[in-house]
Amino acid sequence: MDALDRLAEPGLDLLARVDTLLAAGAPEGHRLWPLLRRMQVLPGEAVGEFLDLHPAPLAGAGHAVRQLVPGYDDTCATLADPVAWSGSAAAAYDEARNALLRHLDEGPESLVGRLESTAGYADALADWVEGSRLALARALAEVLRSAEAVTVQSAARAGAEGDRSGALAAAEIATRVLGVLGVAYDGAETLLQQWAPSLAETTWRDRVAGVPHHGDATRIGH
C-alpha cells in the first residue's frame, strides 16, 4: 500500500462531493474548463480509475520478458556451433544460419533486441505509474487540508449544489487534481512516442533463396 492507497478513501469522499457540485456547472470562465474539455471526466471518476494502476504488474512483466532472453541465447549458441560439412550446400546452409543468427540476436531490430526494448518499456511504464501515483497523492493531501475542502464539505452538507462559493471551491480542487492527472497522461504519451520505434514489429532482414536439406551436404571424410 502506497501513499495514494492510504489517501484513497478520504480523497474519493471529498471528490464525490466535488463532482456533485460541479454537475450543476463550474463557474463561468474558470481555468477548470480547459481541463474538463481535455480530460472529459470529473475528478472523482478520474482518480477512481487511476487507483487501479499499480507499478508492480508492469515491473513484473518486464522481468518476465527478460527471462525469455536466455532461451534465445541457448539457441544462438547451438546455431553457432561449427558444422563439419563442405561443398555448395554447406555454404548455403552457413549463409542461412548466419542470417538466422542476425535475426535472433544482432542489434535492436533482432528478436532479442525487441525483447529487451519491451522489457525496458514495461520498466519505464512502472516508473511512470509510481511517480504519477506519488504526485497524485501529494495533490490529494493538499486539497484534503485546504480551505476549499472545508467549503465543499459545508456546501454538500447543506445541500447547496448551486451555492457559488461551493462551486468555486469545487472548481479549485478539481483543477488541482485534473492538472496533476493531465501531466501524468502527457508523460505516458511521451513514453509511447519515445519507445514506439523500438517496439515496432521486427522483420526478417535477409532474404535467403532456400535452405538445403542436410542430405545434400557432403560431410568431410565421407
Side-chain angles (χ1 to χ4, degrees):
M1 177 178 287
D2 61 7
L4 184 59
D5 287 325
R6 291 189 289 271
L7 290 170
E9 184 175 350
L12 289 177
D13 180 72
L14 172 63
L15 293 177
R17 300 173 192 272
V18 167
D19 287 359
T20 298
L21 290 168
L22 292 177
E28 184 177 354
H30 196 276
R31 57 198 178 105
L32 172 63
W33 280 108
L35 282 169
L36 286 176
R37 284 191 288 268
R38 178 195 175 195
M39 306 291 285
Q40 296 291 305
V41 66
L42 290 172
E45 182 181 352
V47 171
E49 293 178 354
F50 201 85
L51 283 168
D52 292 332
L53 287 177
H54 294 275
L58 290 164
H63 177 73
V65 169
R66 286 192 177 88
Q67 295 301 320
L68 300 175
V69 173
Y72 284 82
D73 290 340
D74 292 343
T75 299
C76 289
T78 300
L79 286 171
D81 286 342
V83 178
W85 294 353
S86 64
S88 59
Y93 172 81
D94 195 52
E95 180 182 347
R97 179 179 61 173
N98 289 333
L100 181 55
L101 282 169
R102 288 192 294 271
H103 183 64
L104 290 175
D105 189 8
E106 185 178 290
E109 295 183 4
S110 67
L111 294 181
V112 170
R114 287 295 191 255
L115 284 175
E116 292 173 345
S117 294
T118 300
Y121 181 54
D123 290 344
L125 284 176
D127 291 341
W128 167 77
V129 171
E130 185 175 5
S132 298
R133 286 178 65 89
L134 179 59
L136 183 56
R138 288 171 175 165
L140 285 180
E142 290 174 2
V143 300
L144 282 168
R145 59 173 180 261
S146 67
E148 288 83 4
V150 175
T151 301
V152 166
Q153 298 282 9
S154 298
R157 284 194 296 268
E161 288 83 1
D163 180 75
R164 187 177 185 280
S165 63
L168 182 59
E172 287 296 320
I173 290 174
T175 299
R176 297 183 199 179
V177 172
L178 289 181
V180 170
L181 288 174
V183 171
Y185 293 145
D186 285 342
E189 184 67 26
T190 298
L191 280 179
L192 181 57
Q193 292 174 358
Q194 289 175 343
W195 284 89
S198 300
L199 301 174
E201 182 179 358
T202 189
T203 58
W204 183 261
R205 289 173 288 166
D206 293 88
R207 292 179 60 86
V208 179
V211 179
H213 189 273
H214 69 274
D216 295 334
T218 302
R219 291 187 178 277
I220 296 176
H222 288 267

